[in-house]
Amino acid sequence: MFNNATNASWTNCTEQSNTVYVTVYTLVFIIGLILNLFALVIFFCHTKSRSHTTVYMTNLALADLILVCALPIRIYKYLGFEVKQHICEISGLILLANMYGSILLLTCISLDRCLAVCFPLSSRVREGRKKAPLVCLGIWMLTIGASLPMYLAKKTNNSIKQDNCFGSFPQYAVQTTALISTLTVGFGMPLVIMALSSCGLVRAISKSTAAQTPDLVNSRRIHRMVSTNMAIFLVCFLPYHILLMMLHFYRNHIESMPCAMLYAYRYSLMLACLNATLDPLAYYFTTETFRKNVDIDAVWRMWPLNNLSSDENSRSRAALNT
């Protein structure tokens, strides 16, 4: 397995400053906390209908919220304070479990949109979409169950020495079996499904008669939404999984690994966490479904300063939405 010498060679790769990590994780925590809490308030209190897509979005907001709540421990550590090893491990477990939960939920949202548009009259599709709560439950069970072995392996295998919080080599994640599962079930299959669903959605919209009438369907806006969602997915999650594959080839000779690999791995993990702040913007506030299902007036009245001129503001918002 790995000895103390190779582990030491890895942990000696320390950067001069942790300012970038502290800054990025702090921004992700603050922005992600605000946006995802706001989204949950909207979904639970001000949503007019509980559609199947809304079920996935609610679970996505919850997964992203849990993810960002694990970030303060990383911020505290990168500020130079000591953090107990088991707390680091639990924080890492929460982050990874909810990161893959977000990936699978984003895939379900994309597939649900595609099925709803491409097969609107299929009774089998309608019955399948009604199982959204069960699908979400399965995703939670899968991500938590798949992440637990990594934590348990650290606790039971004495040959793996972990003494560098958030900086140690991800031994379990780059093992062949775990890596294959991660790249196929955790990232590869969701990526393929998202790509096919996006292409199917764009094709169905382009061929529909409603798309020929800009007043009914803004096809350009839908294309932009689909491409933005795919771009965010790739930018946030592709670098992390590429780095895992690269680390896999160094798993038996860590002493020869360049320190730049460590820095790239850490930065790729930051990009993956950044998705928690982009999900609300890309999937909630820029989609027609979200705006149609949200009681805008109720949300607007949540802000005290707007109560004084609600009538004028309502007229202004109506003009902007036409």
Side-chain angles (χ1 to χ4, degrees), residues 183-257:
L183 294 179
T184 54
V185 180
F187 180 72
M189 290 174 59
L191 177 60
V192 172
I193 293 174
M194 282 197 67
L196 293 177
S197 299
S198 299
C199 292
L201 178 62
V202 170
R203 185 177 180 181
I205 292 297
S206 300
K207 289 186 175 182
S208 66
T209 55
Q212 311 304 321
T213 307
D215 293 337
L216 295 178
V217 176
N218 190 336
S219 58
R220 181 178 299 179
R221 179 180 178 183
I222 294 176
H223 292 176
R224 187 166 57 247
M225 179 194 72
V226 170
S227 59
T228 300
N229 292 343
M230 281 298 302
I232 292 174
F233 188 88
L234 291 174
V235 169
C236 290
F237 299 122
L238 182 60
Y240 174 76
H241 291 88
I242 290 177
L243 262 297
L244 282 184
M245 288 190 292
M246 297 175 67
L247 294 177
H248 171 74
F249 297 104
Y250 286 96
R251 67 190 187 283
N252 293 325
H253 41 90
I254 307 179
E255 68 281 358
S256 63
M257 181 184 301

Side-chain angles (χ1 to χ4, degrees), residues 84-276:
K84 293 183 178 180
Q85 187 61 35
H86 72 277
I87 296 179
C88 292
E89 294 168 355
I90 294 175
S91 173
L93 174 67
I94 293 174
L95 189 148
L96 287 178
N98 287 280
M99 180 179 75
Y100 285 106
S102 297
I103 290 176
L104 295 176
L105 288 167
L106 289 172
T107 305
C108 289
I109 292 173
S110 180
L111 180 61
D112 185 76
R113 282 200 189 111
C114 179
L115 293 176
V117 173
C118 295
F119 307 100
L121 302 179
S122 173
S123 59
R124 183 174 299 180
V125 170
R126 287 199 300 270
E127 290 299 320
R129 295 182 66 214
K130 290 179 181 180
K131 294 180 173 59
L134 293 178
V135 173
C136 292
L137 177 61
I139 289 175
W140 285 103
M141 295 175 63
L142 175 63
T143 53
I144 295 175
S147 302
L148 279 177
M150 179 176 63
Y151 175 73
L152 296 176
K154 294 178 181 179
K155 305 301 292 182
T156 59
N157 194 338
N158 294 326
S159 64
I160 300 178
K161 302 296 182 181
Q162 297 284 355
D163 56 359
N164 187 25
C165 188
F166 302 133
S168 58
F169 187 86
Q171 288 100 330
Y172 182 85
V174 298
Q175 295 304 301
T176 303
T177 303
L179 183 63
I180 292 176
S181 300
T182 298
L183 294 179
T184 54
V185 180
F187 180 72
M189 290 174 59
L191 177 60
V192 172
I193 293 174
M194 282 197 67
L196 293 177
S197 299
S198 299
C199 292
L201 178 62
V202 170
R203 185 177 180 181
I205 292 297
S206 300
K207 289 186 175 182
S208 66
T209 55
Q212 311 304 321
T213 307
D215 293 337
L216 295 178
V217 176
N218 190 336
S219 58
R220 181 178 299 179
R221 179 180 178 183
I222 294 176
H223 292 176
R224 187 166 57 247
M225 179 194 72
V226 170
S227 59
T228 300
N229 292 343
M230 281 298 302
I232 292 174
F233 188 88
L234 291 174
V235 169
C236 290
F237 299 122
L238 182 60
Y240 174 76
H241 291 88
I242 290 177
L243 262 297
L244 282 184
M245 288 190 292
M246 297 175 67
L247 294 177
H248 171 74
F249 297 104
Y250 286 96
R251 67 190 187 283
N252 293 325
H253 41 90
I254 307 179
E255 68 281 358
S256 63
M257 181 184 301
C259 288
M261 193 74 72
L262 166 65
Y263 309 148
Y265 170 73
R266 289 178 176 175
Y267 289 135
S268 68
L269 191 58
M270 281 196 303
L271 279 177
C273 294
L274 187 63
N275 184 75

Side-chain angles (χ1 to χ4, degrees), residues 7-53:
N7 211 25
S9 67
W10 173 263
T11 56
N12 285 336
C13 292
T14 56
E15 295 173 273
Q16 297 297 321
S17 175
N18 290 325
T19 305
V20 175
Y21 300 121
V22 173
T23 302
V24 173
Y25 280 128
T26 300
L27 289 176
V28 171
F29 170 71
I30 295 174
I31 298 174
L33 184 67
I34 294 173
L35 291 183
N36 286 290
L37 277 176
F38 180 74
L40 286 174
V41 170
I42 295 298
F43 288 137
F44 281 113
C45 302
H46 302 288
T47 300
K48 296 177 180 179
S49 64
R50 301 294 297 175
S51 66
H52 312 302
T53 303

